[in-house]
Amino acid sequence: MEHEMGYMISHYGYWGIIALFVGGMIGLPIPDEVILVFVGYQIHRGNMFFLYAYISAVFGTFIGISISYWIGRLLGMSFLQKIGPKVGLNEKRIEKAHTYFNRWGPVVLFVGYFIPGVRYITAYLAGISKMDGKKFIVYAYSGAMCWVLVFLLIGRELGRGWEQMSGYIHYPLIIFLALLSVGIGLFWYYKQQKRVYK
């Protein structure tokens, strides 16, 4: 997978980044964090511009997650359960994400990016639950912008150490960032709810 990832980015540049993130957000088995760290490393080496790489990754994420939202909205849970196993979304992952979504609602759209196995499903669930499109955009898009920024910065700052980091980036770092994001998301959600019930 890392070879294909490097090929896409080295041969197609920013267009390759967009394509990878569209695929990753609709549920294809693409190691999104590793891609972002790799792109950050390319930025460190001077092979890419930070702003263009950031815009490309965010744009690809926006497209992919919006497609997932509309698929969920139009085709429902039965489609997700049918197609999920074919793209790595097994019943356990779907049920886990469904539980999170029912409990925390839109906050999961924001923090779900930092939780492997959850971010692929939250947009489908938002569509299935007929979440308002504007609310979906606010939470899902802002979460995407933060997630991409964090991992690009990690890759850039790690520089030449990115190969060692790619093997364990999904564990302690993800847990820390997920907890941080959950805290931010819950605070934001609390403020929104407080405003609604005033």
Side-chain angles (χ1 to χ4, degrees):
M1 178 59 73
E2 291 183 6
H3 175 73
E4 289 83 355
M5 173 187 72
Y7 177 84
M8 284 287 291
I9 294 173
S10 61
H11 284 74
Y12 298 102
Y14 302 110
W15 290 107
I17 295 173
I18 293 172
L20 286 169
F21 280 91
V22 171
M25 287 302 109
I26 62 175
L28 296 181
I30 295 173
D32 302 308
E33 292 96 348
V34 178
I35 294 171
L36 287 172
V37 173
F38 177 75
V39 172
Y41 173 62
Q42 295 303 311
I43 293 168
H44 168 78
R45 296 186 61 189
N47 296 331
M48 288 186 157
F49 292 105
F50 186 93
L51 181 61
Y52 295 163
Y54 176 75
I55 291 172
S56 300
V58 167
F59 186 59
T61 303
F62 284 0
I63 294 172
I65 205 163
S66 298
I67 290 171
S68 299
Y69 170 80
W70 281 105
I71 289 174
R73 194 174 180 100
L74 297 173
L75 302 181
M77 180 63 80
S78 59
F79 173 80
L80 182 58
Q81 291 172 333
K82 181 179 179 181
I83 200 71
K86 298 178 181 178
V87 293
L89 303 176
N90 58 39
E91 191 68 32
K92 185 177 179 181
R93 282 186 174 183
I94 294 172
E95 185 59 36
K96 181 180 178 182
H98 200 187
T99 300
Y100 287 156
F101 194 83
N102 287 338
R103 182 175 299 175
W104 300 107
V107 174
V108 178
L109 283 171
F110 183 90
V111 301
Y113 290 97
F114 296 92
I115 308 174
V118 172
R119 65 173 164 271
Y120 306 115
I121 313 172
T122 53
Y124 287 108
L125 295 175
I128 290 166
S129 66
K130 309 294 184 185
M131 176 183 281
D132 177 71
K134 291 180 181 178
K135 182 181 286 188
F136 170 79
I137 287 172
V138 168
Y139 284 91
Y141 285 21
S142 60
M145 293 168 69
C146 292
W147 173 65
V148 169
L149 180 62
V150 166
F151 280 95
L152 279 184
L153 289 174
I154 289 171
R156 189 183 69 174
E157 296 307 314
L158 286 174
R160 296 187 183 277
W162 97 271
E163 291 90 351
Q164 289 76 27
M165 188 62 184
S166 66
Y168 60 86
I169 194 168
H170 290 84
Y171 300 105
L173 185 61
I174 289 295
I175 292 170
F176 169 75
L177 291 173
L179 291 174
L180 178 63
S181 299
V182 167
I184 294 170
L186 289 176
F187 177 75
W188 185 13
Y189 184 69
Y190 170 76
K191 296 292 285 186
Q192 293 295 321
Q193 292 296 100
K194 192 174 179 182
R195 185 179 302 172
V196 168
Y197 290 109
K198 272 187 175 180

